[in-house]
Amino acid sequence: MNVNQSAPPVPPFGQPQPVYPGYHQSSYGGQPGPAAPPTSYGTYNGPGPGYQQTPPLGMSRAPPSTGAPPTSTAQAPCGQAAYGQLGQGDIQNGPSSSTVPTQRLPGSQPFGSPLAPAVSQPAALQHYGPPPTSAQVTAQLAGMQISGAMAPAPPSAGLGYGPPTLLASASGSFSNSGPYGSYPQGQAPPVSQAQGHPGVQPPQRSAPPLASNFTSPTSGGPRMPSMTGSLPPGQGFGAPPMSQPNHVSSPPQALPPGTQMTGPQGPPPPMHSLQQPGYQLQQNGSFGPGRGPQPNYGTPYSGAPTFGSQPGPPQPLPPKRLDPDAIPSPIQVIEDDRNNRGSEPFVTGVRGQVPPLVTTNFLVKDQGNASPRYIRCTSYNIPCTSDMAKQAQVPLAAVIKPLAKLPPEEASPYVVDHGESGPLRCNRCKAYMCPFMQFIEGGRRFQCCFCSCVNDVPPQYFQHLDHTGRRVDAYDRPELSLGSYEFLATVDYCKNNKFPSPPAFIFMIDVSYNAIRTGLVRLLCEELKSLLDYLPREGGAEESAIHVGFVTYNKVLHFYNVKSSLAQPQMMVVSDVADMFVPLLDGFLVNVNESRAVITSLLDQIPEIFADTRETETVFAPVIQAGMEALKAAECAGKLFLFHTSLPIAEAPGKLKNRDDRKLINTDKEKTLFQPQTGVYQTLAKECVAQGCCVDLFLFPNQYVDVATLSVVPQLTGGSVYKYACFQVENDQERFLSDLRRDVQKIVGFDAVMRVRTSTGIRAVDFFGAFYMSNTTDVELAGLDANKTVTVEFKHDDRLNEESGALLQCALLYTSCAGQRRLRIHNLALNCCTQLADLYRNCETDTLINYMAKFAYRGVLNSPVKTVRDTLITQCAQILACYRKNCASPSSAGQLILPECMKLLPVYLNCVLKSDVLQPGAEVTTDDRAYVRQLVTSMDVAETNVFFYPRLLPLTKSPIESTTEPPAVRASEERLSNGDIYLLENGLNLFLWVGASVQQGVVQSLFNVPSFSQITTGLSVLPILDNPLSKKVRGLIDSLRAQRARYMKLTVVKQEDKLEMLFKNFLVEDKSLSGGESYVDFLCHMHKEIRQLLS
């Protein structure tokens, strides 16, 4: 810590300070106070029993007496912060003893000092004892060493997150009186939270973390952090309180007449320290103007402040309420990370660095480790032993997105061609050459970094070593200097030792009555005419190498010959769906440009041929079977695009019945709703994977279609499912066509196999995603696109070494769109630790939530939903209890202490628990749940982040000429102002919420109607108007859609309208209609669980 750092002009530690609110001595004025009866842990959201000693209000401080600091101080373990026995706002459980010394904090810490936002609660009774002497407070302050208190643990290469976040419990016994007056019980007491001072910074940090002081909108005054962190020299405590609805920087208010302030005055209110460089003001956990009193959140302090007066008679006290502004805000954490880490490129050269959050825009420079766009881990510092991992309960997992799309400013992986010899590999474990391999014996041999086997270097690959032991050509070879690269595969890596043919696309169109009646078939055929010009192609190729074919079906199948030599397409009907075969080879799969005229003629004719159909029944499994057989006959991999409308009830393999039953919800049989009805589809999927046949399914249901069963083949072949319930051309055409265009045009790897290798000590044990596995190590994907991820969990099988760390290598063998066989390699080195504090300091909450959601969503297949929910809550409580027990310093059980980089774990986990899969609302269908379940299974970290915690953007707060996205606010109804308009997006849905009191000019500019009442509810397209606001909002909607993998359909929601209930479902910090807890309640619930584990 920089002791010479300049500090604000405040009294030095040796001088008497104003009383520090909520900081308790074990005895006052040298006399033991009256004993407080022991308190039991009160119920949440109910009055907490408890008695508390507090200094009387308005009494002046005794003059300072010079005295040595207390001698008995408990030393915290190395590398951990020590907290006082009695934290801010806490009392001991049991009588207050004057013999218990208050612990002092060693001042120097490697990763910022913990500051405790203790949420103090008023107690039922108050005891007033003599005031503490200044001498004691001063002595304690003097006892805080600024440096040299303990040997700091060596900072890890990973990002040092600041101190833990402390929150006081919403129950139990707490202080209820500060030196200037007590808080009425209906008010939330203030909380202060800070993220470390710029003086205590680890390396690797591009900018100091922001200090955010949270003050409740209703609190009597801001409160400084508790005496649990090291302060810069000379920074004192204390400030006159301010009664303000928000934590807004402003001059201190004058004291009311008749109030005497005795004793030395402190520095200006702590808010003004926010004006120091490196700090940023936060208001109500978000950005925007100050809020007045909010419904359900207690009233502002009424009556004259009692700064110096004696307490009046006791008032009846309303129930307690934890202030939402006092608890960790996702918006603030995201904003801080953007400000701190968005400007500098993320250089991957250092092992075990935690990357910026997925919500931050940053550039990546590959210097030996794979970009976080390809791999993100739950922790970048792995416990050395399995016992330590079991103790922490933090899952060790990586979310891998092997074909991720990079921004234009970052180079795609280099392609390395080693000729006929192929890529160089370890003879024993078959790992591919990478930057971590160690060359020895002058470069003639190399030692494998995964299994330690020593291998000979082939003569054609030999190169001399420099004085550091590195090859002199290391920087000329991607595989020796970069984290990600590709090898051209030799024929040995191909099926049947034969290079593959280019892949094919087969469009399979449902032409039953439902599909024709809605206009779907006509719309699709019209679109395909132009879309076929945009098939994916490699690099600078003039035309795509992909061939195309067409099938239509209802309860029989129609194949089309579109050979270029024909004047008109020919139809062939296969009615024997039980024994499916392909009636033609030549002319079924064709080159688009060669057969352009015949294809156009076919697409014109299909809607006419079936215009008068009365056939309502459909088949499904035989359609996939036919596509797969066609690819098999052509000896190529490929993709089937299926457009399907109804439950397949026609007599055929894979026939389904309607088994939708809402009565099964919350019973042990609920899991059957997520399981496939029949084993036919698993068997079919296995055959598809063997052939490299990927299936993308577009569903257009008007009623139950059993998504759980129909999605089995897309899920196991690496495909996608798109669902358009109650499809209507006028409302849904834009969304469907946009999804179809992206799906057809995206780059796909076909017939892929992925394997994850690890260094000795850990191994991959579990896999989540859209793929098939025929053994325990190989992930088989008939198709893999840039949006799909595979999540891999690791477990220990031996002890790890802190010096060597742990290595992962993901190798993906696939066929490109041009038919080229390639190997894509991603490498990542992680740190290993023997201290739990290092594990918790290097975790990534967004990745953790991604893993936990996938784990839970797979769990519902085999366990009751309640069991799955309880498992998640228990695991989260164990993670946080282990931190509390082993890493946080001793403090009262009344405080909830969260690790800095996991402080959002409770809010995000609550969002997962409240999601439709785990806690469905009354309006959520069984198909919706099955659809979301399979969708989340292959989402990346950025997608799950916004899916579970949607973004809420106020549109009229930022200047109209501003081109940047407006800053988000927290997803709670409390944040909505009825005079404003908000956009909410979660990656799948987009809502425009219009407040009832929004200005008429705004309504006119956006909707082209004169008043709020004339806005059409449920509108899905904004009128194109030539004014700045309309252009800005439409531009923002376009930009949000461009960021997401799927097209988000807009829904305009008016305040107090029937659609508002649907919108409110996405305000995830509030209670949900389906019974999900609010963020505040869940935090209390989590605290209760942690306390039970600790006791």
Side-chain angles (χ1 to χ4, degrees):
M1 178 169 181
N2 179 5
V3 180
N4 301 321
Q5 178 179 321
S6 61
V10 292
F13 282 160
Q15 291 183 18
Q17 307 291 325
V19 171
Y20 174 53
Y23 180 76
H24 306 304
Q25 318 290 329
S26 48
S27 59
Y28 292 114
Q31 303 295 322
T39 62
S40 62
Y41 182 72
T43 54
Y44 276 100
N45 294 336
Y51 305 89
Q52 177 62 45
Q53 311 171 144
T54 45
L57 306 178
M59 291 190 65
S60 58
R61 305 278 297 272
S65 64
T66 53
T71 50
S72 73
T73 49
Q75 191 69 29
C78 180
Q80 298 175 16
Y83 289 79
Q85 294 300 86
L86 298 174
Q88 172 185 350
D90 301 325
I91 68 159
Q92 295 165 308
N93 291 333
S96 155
S97 148
S98 59
T99 58
V100 181
T102 306
Q103 287 188 339
R104 286 200 317 261
L105 174 76
S108 167
Q109 291 179 38
F111 283 86
S113 53
L115 295 169
V119 183
S120 68
Q121 293 287 352
L125 290 173
Q126 300 182 6
H127 290 289
Y128 297 105
T133 62
S134 289
Q136 273 182 304
V137 178
T138 309
Q140 303 239 3
L141 292 177
M144 287 181 60
Q145 303 149 353
I146 296 303
S147 63
M150 59 182 176
S156 74
L159 166 66
Y161 283 84
T165 300
L166 279 78
L167 297 160
S169 135
S171 74
S173 43
F174 297 89
S175 120
N176 66 335
S177 165
Y180 298 125
S182 59
Y183 298 108
Q185 200 155 350
Q187 283 175 218
V191 169
S192 75
Q193 168 178 336
Q195 273 183 282
H197 194 278
V200 191
Q201 286 304 319
Q204 305 289 314
R205 190 73 190 228
S206 53
L210 305 181
S212 48
N213 287 324
F214 294 95
T215 302
S216 113
T218 55
S219 65
R223 180 182 279 196
M224 284 293 285
S226 65
M227 282 289 294
T228 52
S230 45
L231 287 169
Q235 179 151 336
F237 291 166
M242 299 161 53
S243 182
Q244 246 177 249
N246 251 318
H247 196 164
V248 183
S249 205
S250 66
Q253 295 171 314
L255 292 174
T259 309
Q260 64 179 73
M261 286 285 288
T262 48
Q265 295 278 323
M271 303 170 211
H272 294 287
S273 70
L274 295 178
Q275 307 307 322
Q276 295 171 23
Y279 287 83
Q280 178 171 323
L281 183 64
Q282 179 193 339
Q283 303 174 2
N284 25 313
S286 61
F287 296 79
R291 281 189 298 122
Q294 297 293 324
N296 307 327
Y297 283 86
T299 52
Y301 195 91
S302 55
T306 57
F307 292 134
S309 56
Q310 295 301 316
Q315 299 294 318
L317 299 168
K320 302 169 187 166
R321 186 75 172 88
L322 189 60
D323 174 26
D325 288 331
I327 54 184
S329 156
I331 304 304
Q332 186 62 37
V333 170
I334 288 167
E335 199 61 37
D336 289 349
D337 194 76
R338 279 182 183 156
N339 293 335
N340 293 339
R341 307 196 68 193
S343 51
E344 295 291 315
F346 178 69
V347 181
T348 71
V350 181
R351 182 177 86 189
Q353 287 184 96
V354 181
L357 298 180
V358 282
T359 43
T360 299
N361 281 331
F362 59 99
L363 270 182
V364 179
K365 288 192 175 167
D366 186 341
Q367 291 191 1
N369 282 294
S371 159
R373 303 191 205 289
Y374 294 124
I375 306 181
R376 275 188 178 263
C377 294
T378 52
S379 178
Y380 288 79
N381 208 328
I382 295 182
C384 280
T385 64
S386 60
D387 289 346
M388 191 173 156
K390 281 187 193 119
Q391 188 184 359
Q393 286 285 317
V394 176
L396 305 175
V399 179
I400 305 173
K401 198 175 178 185
L403 297 179
K405 200 175 173 191
L406 300 181
E409 8 348 332
E410 292 176 24
S412 294
Y414 289 96
V415 181
V416 180
D417 185 358
H418 282 313
E420 286 184 13
S421 61
L424 188 56
R425 304 175 69 174
C426 168
N427 291 329
R428 184 196 289 163
C429 70
K430 301 299 180 200
Y432 293 87
M433 179 52 67
C434 71
F436 311 124
M437 297 288 191
Q438 188 71 42
F439 286 89
I440 53 176
E441 297 179 22
R444 285 187 295 279
R445 306 177 89 186
F446 72 91
Q447 183 168 24
C448 176
C449 51
F450 293 93
C451 69
S452 304
C453 173
V454 174
N455 300 267
D456 291 329
V457 174
Q460 71 274 17
Y461 199 78
F462 173 79
Q463 186 54 272
H464 295 285
L465 308 183
D466 65 13
H467 65 286
T468 66
R470 268 185 86 99
R471 282 172 57 121
V472 296
D473 65 347
Y475 290 106
D476 301 328
R477 290 188 177 272
E479 74 273 22
L480 298 181
S481 56
L482 298 177
S484 301
Y485 42 87
E486 289 199 325
F487 292 119
L488 281 187
T490 58
V491 76
D492 305 334
Y493 291 88
C494 303
K495 255 187 202 162
N496 309 326
N497 279 10
K498 192 164 103 179
F499 281 113
S501 311
F505 284 179
I506 304 177
F507 296 91
M508 315 188 88
I509 305 166
D510 176 350
V511 288
S512 64
Y513 174 73
N514 274 338
I516 297 293
R517 181 183 58 81
T518 56
L520 167 65
V521 174
R522 192 173 294 279
L523 176 71
L524 175 58
C525 290
E526 206 52 48
E527 176 64 24
L528 285 177
K529 288 183 204 170
S530 55
L531 188 53
L532 293 176
D533 290 331
Y534 298 97
L535 297 176
R537 63 193 79 183
E538 284 291 304
E542 284 186 20
E543 64 173 57
S544 175
I546 292 171
H547 284 61
V548 298
F550 301 89
V551 172
T552 57
Y553 67 94
N554 37 48
K555 56 195 240 191
V556 297
L557 276 76
H558 322 104
F559 292 79
Y560 297 92
N561 184 344
V562 283
K563 199 172 179 181
S564 56
S565 56
L566 295 173
Q568 284 293 325
Q570 296 172 346
M571 180 203 279
M572 297 182 187
V573 180
V574 176
S575 53
D576 183 5
V577 289
D579 185 18
M580 185 45 62
F581 67 97
V582 181
L584 77 162
L585 287 180
D586 192 28
F588 179 63
L589 295 176
V590 296
N591 177 297
V592 174
N593 286 344
E594 290 172 10
S595 297
R596 164 94 45 205
V598 193
I599 291 172
T600 303
S601 171
L602 170 67
L603 294 171
D604 283 337
Q605 289 178 39
I606 286 175
E608 306 308 326
I609 297 170
F610 300 100
D612 300 324
T613 186
R614 284 286 169 267
E615 185 54 73
T616 55
E617 293 187 358
T618 56
V619 295
F620 189 73
V623 184
I624 297 174
Q625 180 87 31
M628 193 249 312
E629 296 289 351
L631 294 176
K632 200 182 232 172
E635 295 186 348
C636 68
K639 183 183 269 198
L640 312 182
F641 295 85
L642 246 83
F643 304 90
H644 190 80
T645 59
S646 58
L647 192 69
I649 55 171
E651 276 307 323
K655 172 186 173 179
L656 301 179
K657 61 180 192 292
N658 187 335
R659 52 159 186 169
D660 191 16
D661 186 0
R662 288 195 67 84
K663 291 199 286 291
L664 297 182
I665 292 176
N666 294 326
T667 69
D668 285 354
K669 289 189 175 173
E670 184 174 5
K671 60 190 177 207
T672 59
L673 297 175
F674 297 109
Q675 296 166 353
Q677 274 189 49
T678 159
V680 170
Y681 291 97
Q682 272 111 325
T683 311
L684 186 55
K686 188 177 171 182
E687 292 172 26
C688 286
V689 171
Q691 185 47 49
C693 167
C694 173
V695 179
D696 279 0
L697 175 60
F698 292 80
L699 283 170
F700 306 87
N702 288 333
Q703 53 198 24
Y704 178 75
V705 289
D706 200 350
V707 173
T709 305
L710 297 189
S711 64
V712 166
V713 179
Q715 177 81 4
L716 292 177
T717 59
S720 306
V721 179
Y722 299 84
K723 181 167 161 284
Y724 311 88
C726 303
F727 179 81
Q728 292 176 306
V729 169
E730 56 278 12
N731 289 340
D732 301 297
Q733 115 175 25
E734 193 178 354
R735 177 174 158 228
F736 164 54
L737 294 181
S738 173
D739 284 342
L740 177 63
R741 285 168 196 150
R742 282 196 203 183
D743 200 55
V744 169
Q745 293 173 38
K746 67 188 175 191
I747 299 294
V748 182
F750 292 97
D751 208 2
V753 182
M754 182 179 117
R755 181 175 278 196
V756 178
R757 292 179 174 85
T758 53
S759 53
T760 312
I762 53 169
R763 62 194 168 89
V765 293
D766 209 352
F767 300 84
F768 303 83
F771 53 76
Y772 177 77
M773 290 186 81
S774 56
N775 58 36
T776 56
T777 53
D778 293 337
V779 174
E780 298 174 48
L781 303 121
L784 176 68
D785 62 59
N787 298 321
K788 292 279 189 309
T789 63
V790 176
T791 301
V792 186
E793 186 184 4
F794 303 98
K795 289 262 166 74
H796 288 75
D797 56 9
D798 204 349
R799 191 183 170 84
L800 291 167
N801 183 332
E802 253 183 309
E803 281 176 35
S804 52
L807 303 175
L808 316 178
Q809 183 178 80
C810 163
L812 178 79
L813 174 66
Y814 71 100
T815 302
S816 74
C817 291
Q820 196 175 49
R821 203 71 175 145
R822 290 185 181 177
L823 278 154
R824 179 169 288 201
I825 312 295
H826 298 297
N827 303 289
L828 185 63
L830 303 172
N831 285 329
C832 296
C833 58
T834 53
Q835 297 292 323
L836 282 165
D838 291 327
L839 164 68
Y840 283 101
R841 199 178 282 131
N842 291 281
C843 285
E844 235 253 316
T845 299
D846 293 321
T847 312
L848 203 53
I849 288 294
N850 180 284
Y851 165 83
M852 290 171 99
K854 289 172 181 176
F855 179 81
Y857 280 18
R858 187 177 68 184
V860 298
L861 290 173
N862 305 308
S863 307
V865 171
K866 184 182 185 307
T867 309
V868 173
R869 291 166 48 79
D870 292 345
T871 304
L872 279 184
I873 292 171
T874 305
Q875 182 170 20
C876 180
Q878 284 172 328
I879 291 170
L880 298 176
C882 175
Y883 175 82
R884 172 69 186 254
K885 184 177 174 186
N886 298 289
C887 307
S889 309
S891 64
S892 146
Q895 280 185 320
L896 170 59
I897 303 180
L898 303 171
E900 176 60 24
C901 61
M902 277 192 196
K903 65 183 178 189
L904 298 182
L905 187 60
V907 62
Y908 286 162
L909 184 72
N910 191 34
C911 297
V912 175
L913 294 170
K914 292 201 292 189
S915 62
D916 289 341
V917 174
L918 298 182
Q919 195 160 28
E923 73 297 335
V924 179
T925 66
T926 305
D927 275 347
D928 288 335
R929 296 176 74 194
Y931 174 63
V932 168
R933 195 194 76 78
Q934 61 82 33
L935 207 57
V936 168
T937 306
S938 49
M939 275 187 182
D940 72 6
V941 180
E943 288 170 322
T944 50
N945 173 275
V946 76
F947 178 74
F948 289 115
Y949 192 94
R951 282 204 296 172
L952 184 61
L953 309 171
L955 296 186
T956 53
K957 298 255 172 74
S958 53
I960 220 156
E961 61 281 356
S962 163
T963 52
T964 55
E965 269 179 26
V969 295
R970 293 169 73 163
S972 167
E973 189 178 354
E974 219 226 320
R975 309 286 164 178
L976 299 176
S977 150
N978 60 7
D980 205 351
I981 293 181
Y982 296 80
L983 258 182
L984 182 142
E985 65 114 356
N986 74 339
L988 297 179
N989 308 85
L990 192 56
F991 292 96
L992 187 71
W993 183 88
V994 186
S997 313
V998 76
Q999 291 172 357
Q1000 282 185 327
V1002 171
V1003 172
Q1004 185 71 50
S1005 300
L1006 267 187
F1007 301 100
N1008 206 21
V1009 294
S1011 69
F1012 172 81
S1013 59
Q1014 288 170 277
I1015 299 171
T1016 312
T1017 296
L1019 195 68
S1020 59
V1021 181
L1022 290 180
I1024 297 170
L1025 304 172
D1026 189 14
N1027 66 66
L1029 182 63
S1030 177
K1031 285 177 182 169
K1032 177 183 172 175
V1033 173
R1034 285 182 291 111
L1036 177 59
I1037 289 171
D1038 290 343
S1039 114
L1040 292 178
R1041 283 173 174 160
Q1043 292 169 27
R1044 304 295 170 208
R1046 298 185 177 221
Y1047 183 90
M1048 298 185 291
K1049 180 182 169 185
L1050 179 71
T1051 306
V1052 173
V1053 176
K1054 291 161 69 176
Q1055 188 176 1
E1056 306 295 332
D1057 189 82
K1058 59 180 186 293
L1059 267 178
E1060 200 183 24
M1061 298 313 284
L1062 176 65
F1063 169 77
K1064 284 181 180 174
N1065 202 35
F1066 295 94
L1067 301 177
V1068 289
E1069 287 200 19
D1070 301 335
K1071 275 191 170 73
S1072 69
L1073 291 171
S1074 55
E1077 291 180 298
S1078 69
Y1079 175 19
V1080 168
D1081 292 344
F1082 183 71
L1083 204 57
C1084 296
H1085 179 95
M1086 192 47 65
H1087 188 197
K1088 201 171 184 178
E1089 294 280 335
I1090 292 167
R1091 289 177 67 154
Q1092 281 174 350
L1093 287 172
L1094 292 175
S1095 61

